[in-house]
Amino acid sequence: GKSSIKDQELPPSPTFKVVCSSDWVEAAVLGGAHGIHVKEHHLSQIPSIRERMSATNSNCSCWIGTSAHSVESAVNSYREYQPDYYFVGTCFLTASHPEKTSEADLEGPTLPGKVQRALSTVAVEQESSSGTPKVMAIGGIDASNCHIPVELGADGVAVIRSVLQAEHPATVVADMQCNMKAGVKSRTAKERGESGAEAPTPSSAS
């Protein structure tokens, strides 16, 4: 006989986090956003932003993130403000940064991994209760290259155009997740040898 949608086993619904730019803190507070992405020139506002967001969203944790374009800037901001995540790039050529016209102008796909390792060391030194912040590669990321920064040490990727401008966004996301998992597997094999150790699941933000 025919089965209805209710009778079918459906995949679990994804969990979404709404994170606003630090240009829109008031809107984020009033709208109940889950967090704020703090621009680098707004870093000094992180303590006050965290206090406001935590007071408004007392029933859930507040995500505070920022960007970094060097290991030094990431370490310095983490020591002082302890963001929960970082967007690190620019990894590949992208229309978001038209001033970077060649690979020589880019920070490159190796930087997110370098930042992740440096922050991991600092987190241990500071005995951070929240652990190492997530490091997401950004800049020109798509399904064809998302595995590269992940293989080099990034926790995941942040994307905009490759998903939002795709004819079938869900398919692109699925392809990226598959390719990132392959990147993690390759990284794990290089770091630990073929030990069969379980690899972490990479993240994506769009």
Side-chain angles (χ1 to χ4, degrees), residues 2 24 27 40 55 58-59 73 82 85-86 98 101 115 119 123 126-127 131 133 135 144 153 160 169 178-179 183 201:
K2 295 182 179 179
W24 303 96
E40 290 176 271
S58 57
N59 294 326
S73 66
Q82 293 81 49
Y85 71 86
Y86 283 83
T101 58
V115 168
L119 294 180
Q126 295 188 338
E127 298 180 348
V135 175
S144 71
I160 300 176
C178 180
N179 292 342
T201 301

Side-chain angles (χ1 to χ4, degrees), residues 78 83-86 115-124 128-135 155:
Y78 181 69
D84 301 300
Y85 71 86
Y86 283 83
V115 168
Q116 200 282 336
R117 289 186 288 274
L119 294 180
S120 179
T121 299
V122 175
V124 171
S128 171
S129 60
S130 58
T132 305
K134 296 296 184 182
V135 175
D155 293 306

